[in-house]
Structures are given as structure tokens and as C-alpha cells.
Amino acid sequence: MKISSLQKARAAYQPKLPLGLRNNVEIKAGEPTQSVGNQEEIKALFPNTYGLPLVEFVPTEEVKHYDTLNVGVILSGGQAPGGHNVICGLLDELKKQNPNNKLYGFLMGPGGLVDHNYKELTTELIDEYRNTGGFDMIGSGRTKLETVEQFDAGYEICKKLGIKALVIIGGDDSNTNACMLAEYYAQKQAGIAVIGCPKTIDGDLKNSQIETSFGFDTACKTYSELIGNIQRDANSARKYWHFIKLMGRSASHIALECALQTRPNVAIVSEEVEAKQLTLDHIVDSIVDVVANRANDGNNFGTVLIPEGLIEFVPSIKSLISELNDLLSTDEARAISTLSADEQLDWTLQHVSEANKQTLESLPRAVAKQLALERDPHGNVQVSLIETEKLLSEMVAGKLAKLKAAGSYKGKFSPLHHFFGYEGRCAAPSNFDADYCYALGTSAAQLVLNGKTGYMAIVKNTTAPAAEWIAGGVPITMMMNMERRNGKMKPVIKKALVELDGAPFKEFAKNRETWAKETCYLYPGPIQYWGPTEVCDTTTKTLALEQQ
Ligand code: FBP
């Protein structure tokens, strides 16, 4: 493989490991756990993996000997910086504990397990991918592992390859499925453990045990660099309003973090929109106010950050999506999924309730079509395909034109549109993500070596220097509750949305009026890999504020 000189130098970077994972390790087990909600239902659904204790790895003098072990690894869902380092940490630790251990990578996501597509991952192979972004070492996919046929197909290939444990690196949906697989294999006494690992740039897989999901740090820093560059351009040319949509399917963690890093003139937080029951009109009015006020000061330029999932949080649209989710899971709807998008929308309009029909009809047809189309395999609206940035700027332009006609606005409004999502998902991991992921992979290996199943690898105390991080495992059932998905109540890991009484949002709310009026942009610049630790090893502002 041809690599750039930066990649070459970066490949030599040795991720920092917590002291607890550097040498011989033993397990300290805590008290039995409970799920975050619906305890009785979750317990009944997961009789073999419910209630397990939290575990922590602590150093020991005792030298451990482990039998030879074959392990499988799967990358699941959207790419997130650092995934390769999880695999490197996993294989390095497996080989360190017994050089005969083997690691198999299933190709293109969970589908590789079901379809028996795999390759052995050797140290020589993974060396090319150390500290790189992307998931291209083995590829990723969104196949949802949920049927007994899929679980049995996985069992067959594990038996053939002598695999005794699977590590599934994924977000909340993938880890929910990892837990179902762990339970199924435990109940079947298949002798295959399943361990999860918290991945997603969205930052919404976090709770009392998971401080952050990997990839959030690098993705936010990458988007913030780009936003900073745009703000500097805006402040130089002074003629454009930039409407920037940011990835992060549901929760607004990415938009909020980027706002804290760059101080834009406007940043919308979907969770606030929902809590205050705001309509699209309210949101547009608040942007119009900022644009008009800045125009009064002679500033016909600015930046607006828009979270990708905004549309789903506007209460009337949320109610519409909830009805559509149920409607789209019916056989009748499945039967028309081969029709054109226009025909599917017309069919949908005939089948929704009157109130939701009005909402659907009030939206631009392109947006309405996206909402009425099929969901991704996990039942989510594909919000990354909805051009909210254009929708909002067109509505703002319409209102400003009316104000101009009435003589109360004299500025100029030239909007430009951006969507930052895929640009950040495969960026080379920051030092934080490189270290965090390597430690997560090492923890996953230790969970596997110690015979654990139904756990997710975790690393805590992440705002301290890496040497002081605390590694261990959390039972996946502990993070579950029952939620409605595709028309049915299902056990799922609870998604973490932005908390309006949390420190990151409060910090933003305290400053946003000043940021709206004045031009006090921050320009964070590119991620740095070498240099002073306060430049290279900082965490996100979200993590720092949450853990302070
Ligand atoms: P995961 O939840 O699988 O980590 O994916 C997150 C994400 O990047 C979202 O931010 C985005 O909405 C979605 O994936 C895009 O999906 P796709 O990669 O299928 O276009």
C-alpha cells in the first residue's frame, strides 16, 4: 500500500494505555446490576445475561496463562475514527497473552458473519492500519442481526473456525443486537461469548458507564476545523450567510460540541426545539432576528449550525414520523416499497391521519418524500439525506423579503449551504481517539480472555491523562429499556440525547446571545498529533464540561 509521509510517521505512534492494562491484569467485580428501565421485562428477555456485575481491570503481580483462543471481530454501522485501533488493541493483547491466538475479521459488517465472509487478521496486516481512520481493513455494514437464522449462521462459521468469542464494534443498535446474540449463544450453551464496543461519531451512546463513544472526538474536531475556516472566510469577505448542517442522526451532541468549539452566530439544538415545542416557523423567526440584527450593525454575514436530526424533533413532524414508522412496518406498505418515491408519497398521503397529512403536505415535496420512504435496517429515517440547511435558508429568505417590503430590513442575504458528515467519519483519529480505541480493544481482549459475555468494553476517567484511565466492562443489559421500534415494543440501549440541564448546553446557552450579535468566532485549526499536550491531547469540550 502506498502511504503519505504523515501516515508513515503516524503509523509509528504508540497509543497510550492506562496503567491498569499495561501488564498482568485481574478482574475486580462490582455489585450485580439492573437495567435503566423496564427491569422485569428486560430480565425476562435476557435470563442468562441480565444482572451481571460491572467489572474493572486492575494490575496484578500474578502471571496469567491463557489457553489458545480464536476470536472474531465485526465493524458495524457508520464509520467512526479509531475503529482500526480497536482491532489493533484487540489483536495485540490476544497475541501478547498467547501468540497462538487468532483473530478473524468478518467482512462488510454483521452480514459477513451471516454470509461467512471473513479473513484472518495478522499482525503484519493490521500494521498497515495503525492510527488510521476508516473501516476499510474489513469494511462495515448495517445488516441488523436479529433473527435466529442469522444467529445460527453465525454459530456455524464460529464452530468451523474454532471461534470462542465475537467482538462487535458498533453504536446503540448494534450493541443491542450484540446483547441479543450473547443471550442466544448463552441459552444455547454454544460456547461463544459476545462483547460489544461503543462506537459512533454521534456521541449518543453514553451513560453512567460510557463517558463517550469513540469517533466523536475526531469527527467534532474535524468539523470544527472546517467551520472555523468558513467563519474566517465569512469574516473576510463579509457577504455570505453559511447554513451548515452537521451529522449526528438524532441527538445534537455534534452540533453543540462544534458550537462550543467555534462560537457561530446561531446553533440549533434539536432537544431544545422539542422541549420548547417549537415549530419550524419559530426556528426560522429566531434565525431571521439574528440576521436582521447583524444587518443593522452592517454585518451581512454569519454562520448557522443545524443538527442533522432537527426535523425529527419538531413536535408536529415527530408525531408524523411516529405514525409513518408504524405505517411503513405494515405488509401493505412493504408491498409498495418498489414503487417510485412520488407514488410512495401519494400512497402515504392517503393512509395517514388528517392532522399528520396536513403536516406532510406543508413540507417541501423533497423532504416529504424522504420521510415517507423506507427506513434504514434499524428503522431510522435517513436524515442525512434531508436538506434541512436549504429548507431553513429558503424560509429565512422568504421572511426577510417580506420584512424588506415592509421597510424594516435593509440588509443583503446571500446564503450558502454545507453538509459536514462524511468528511469527518474517516478522519485520522486524534490522539484521544487513537488512545481511547486502543484501550477499548485491549479491554475487549481482556473481557474475552476472562470468559465474559454480554459485556461492552469501557474505559473511564478519560479527562485524566491516559495512564490514569480505568478500563473494564459493563453488562449491556444494564443500559437497556423497552422502546417502540417498527411498530413493536423492543429492548434497546437507551440513546443519550443532549440534556438541557447538562453543563455543555448550559455553557452554550450562557453565551449564545453574545455570539449571535458579535463576531467572536473561534478558529480551532486542524487536529495536531505532535506538540504540547494541551494542543494534542485535549478532549472535546462536551466531555471536559460533563466530567468536571
Ligand atoms: P452509527 O450510528 O452507525 O454510528 O452511524 C452514524 C451516522 O454517521 C449518522 O450520523 C448518520 O445519520 C448515518 O450514520 C448515516 O448513515 P449512512 O452511513 O448509512 O449514510
Side-chain angles (χ1 to χ4, degrees):
M1 196 200 279
K2 277 234 174 293
I3 59 169
S4 68
S5 41
L6 172 64
Q7 264 176 289
K8 206 166 165 188
R10 190 66 185 147
Y13 175 75
Q14 182 53 51
K16 302 184 269 301
L17 265 184
L19 283 173
L21 282 177
R22 287 193 194 163
N23 294 308
N24 298 324
V25 164
E26 72 179 8
I27 282 195
K28 194 169 101 190
E31 295 297 310
T33 55
Q34 290 223 321
S35 61
V36 284
N38 311 90
Q39 283 91 7
E40 288 313 313
E41 281 140 296
I42 305 282
K43 190 175 178 181
L45 288 166
F46 297 90
N48 296 284
T49 49
Y50 187 85
L52 300 168
L54 283 166
V55 300
E56 190 183 312
F57 301 123
V58 290
T60 174
E61 295 295 307
E62 194 192 332
V63 181
K64 303 261 176 175
H65 296 284
Y66 296 100
D67 292 341
T68 306
L69 191 67
N70 290 354
V71 176
V73 64
I74 298 170
L75 290 166
S76 181
Q79 285 69 252
H84 287 156
N85 269 27
V86 179
I87 299 180
C88 294
L90 176 62
L91 182 63
D92 286 352
E93 187 65 10
L94 289 172
K95 290 282 184 198
K96 182 172 145 193
Q97 298 302 338
N98 184 335
N100 295 323
N101 288 342
K102 280 187 182 171
L103 182 64
Y104 292 95
F106 287 98
L107 307 182
M108 303 310 294
L113 179 74
V114 178
D115 301 332
H116 300 185
N117 291 324
Y118 61 89
K119 69 176 171 202
E120 191 187 335
L121 303 177
T122 58
T123 303
E124 195 190 4
L125 187 147
I126 67 160
D127 276 349
E128 286 187 21
Y129 295 91
R130 288 184 192 273
N131 309 308
T132 58
F135 279 5
D136 44 323
M137 184 198 291
I138 51 175
S140 185
R142 291 199 184 276
T143 300
K144 191 170 165 62
L145 282 182
E146 59 177 349
T147 66
V148 166
E149 291 73 30
Q150 290 173 316
F151 296 170
D152 285 340
Y155 173 67
E156 245 176 70
I157 187 66
C158 287
K159 220 167 83 180
K160 183 173 156 210
L161 297 174
I163 289 176
K164 294 276 183 279
L166 288 170
V167 175
I168 300 184
I169 302 169
D172 53 340
D173 290 327
S174 308
N175 276 288
T176 294
N177 296 136
C179 195
M180 290 170 67
L181 192 61
E183 178 64 30
Y184 180 78
Y185 288 159
Q187 172 241 314
K188 201 177 150 102
Q189 299 187 332
I192 305 168
V194 184
I195 297 297
C197 199
K199 170 235 71 167
T200 181
I201 60 160
D202 295 358
D204 56 5
L205 177 49
K206 67 175 166 186
N207 48 48
S208 63
Q209 301 305 321
I210 300 174
E211 293 180 358
T212 186
S213 55
F214 80 75
F216 177 70
D217 185 274
T218 309
C220 288
K221 286 174 180 164
T222 306
Y223 303 141
S224 295
E225 179 201 350
L226 298 175
I227 296 164
N229 293 350
I230 283 179
Q231 292 190 150
R232 203 143 219 171
D233 194 286
N235 197 16
S236 306
R238 308 197 176 185
K239 59 179 179 181
Y240 294 124
W241 269 90
H242 294 270
F243 283 69
I244 305 168
K245 183 174 75 163
L246 290 159
M247 224 178 212
R249 191 199 318 281
S250 226
S252 306
H253 299 293
I254 293 180
L256 178 57
E257 171 64 24
C258 291
L260 293 170
Q261 286 194 32
T262 62
R263 301 184 183 166
N265 301 106
V266 179
I268 303 166
V269 172
S270 307
E271 290 81 347
E272 185 182 27
V273 168
E274 184 174 28
K276 293 188 173 163
Q277 298 275 300
L278 301 181
T279 61
L280 267 184
D281 257 354
H282 289 132
I283 299 166
V284 170
D285 285 345
S286 66
I287 302 174
V288 166
D289 280 350
V290 176
V291 173
N293 282 337
R294 284 181 61 80
N296 283 342
D297 296 342
N299 295 323
N300 288 299
F301 65 96
T303 45
V304 181
L305 304 190
I306 305 154
E308 174 179 78
L310 172 65
I311 201 110
E312 284 191 302
F313 284 78
V314 174
S316 58
I317 300 178
K318 189 173 184 145
S319 138
L320 165 68
I321 290 175
S322 156
E323 185 180 350
L324 289 179
N325 283 347
D326 288 356
L327 186 63
L328 292 177
S329 65
T330 60
D331 291 340
E332 214 186 338
R334 274 194 213 103
I336 59 128
S337 63
T338 48
L339 299 181
S340 72
D342 279 300
E343 287 167 324
Q344 285 187 57
L345 176 57
D346 291 338
W347 179 90
T348 309
L349 282 165
Q350 287 161 21
H351 288 78
V352 282
S353 63
E354 195 48 42
N356 285 333
K357 183 176 174 199
Q358 278 179 23
T359 308
L360 194 56
E361 280 175 333
S362 72
L363 295 169
R365 205 164 160 89
V367 176
K369 270 194 268 185
Q370 205 53 56
L371 293 181
L373 288 184
E374 258 201 291
R375 302 298 187 246
D376 79 1
H378 295 276
N380 302 304
V381 176
Q382 289 176 280
V383 278
S384 59
L385 304 178
I386 298 177
E387 294 184 313
T388 338
E389 67 284 20
K390 289 197 182 143
L391 172 70
L392 288 181
S393 89
E394 277 166 26
M395 291 174 80
V396 168
K399 294 215 174 196
L400 286 172
K402 282 189 192 148
L403 291 181
K404 197 166 234 174
S408 52
Y409 164 70
K410 296 195 171 49
K412 279 193 192 140
F413 179 66
S414 305
L416 291 176
H417 307 108
H418 314 265
F419 170 35
F420 296 150
Y422 299 96
E423 293 81 349
R425 295 201 312 183
C426 284
S430 59
N431 283 355
F432 176 86
D433 271 330
D435 297 345
Y436 184 51
C437 289
Y438 194 78
L440 284 171
T442 312
S443 288
Q446 279 296 342
L447 288 168
V448 163
L449 290 163
N450 285 283
K452 301 291 171 200
T453 190
Y455 277 81
M456 206 188 289
I458 51 168
V459 174
K460 298 201 274 193
N461 200 28
T462 50
T463 46
E468 294 163 34
W469 292 358
I470 297 162
V474 54
I476 304 180
T477 51
M478 185 184 174
M479 300 177 275
M480 285 190 164
N481 68 165
M482 301 295 290
E483 286 176 25
R484 197 171 176 80
R485 295 284 166 93
N486 290 333
K488 290 197 189 103
M489 289 308 281
K490 298 242 169 99
V492 291
I493 294 177
K494 200 166 189 275
K495 228 185 231 315
L497 299 178
V498 168
E499 287 176 10
L500 302 185
D501 57 357
F505 182 80
K506 280 188 178 161
E507 176 68 18
F508 162 70
K510 192 173 81 190
N511 292 297
R512 64 177 151 186
E513 271 181 37
T514 314
W515 299 351
K517 180 131 181 71
E518 292 166 22
T519 302
C520 42
Y521 303 145
L522 286 181
Y523 313 114
I527 292 173
Q528 301 293 311
Y529 301 111
W530 295 277
T533 190
E534 67 275 15
V535 175
C536 302
D537 297 325
T538 49
T539 64
T540 56
K541 294 195 184 293
T542 302
L543 188 59
L545 286 161
E546 280 174 348
Q547 302 296 321
Q548 75 190 355

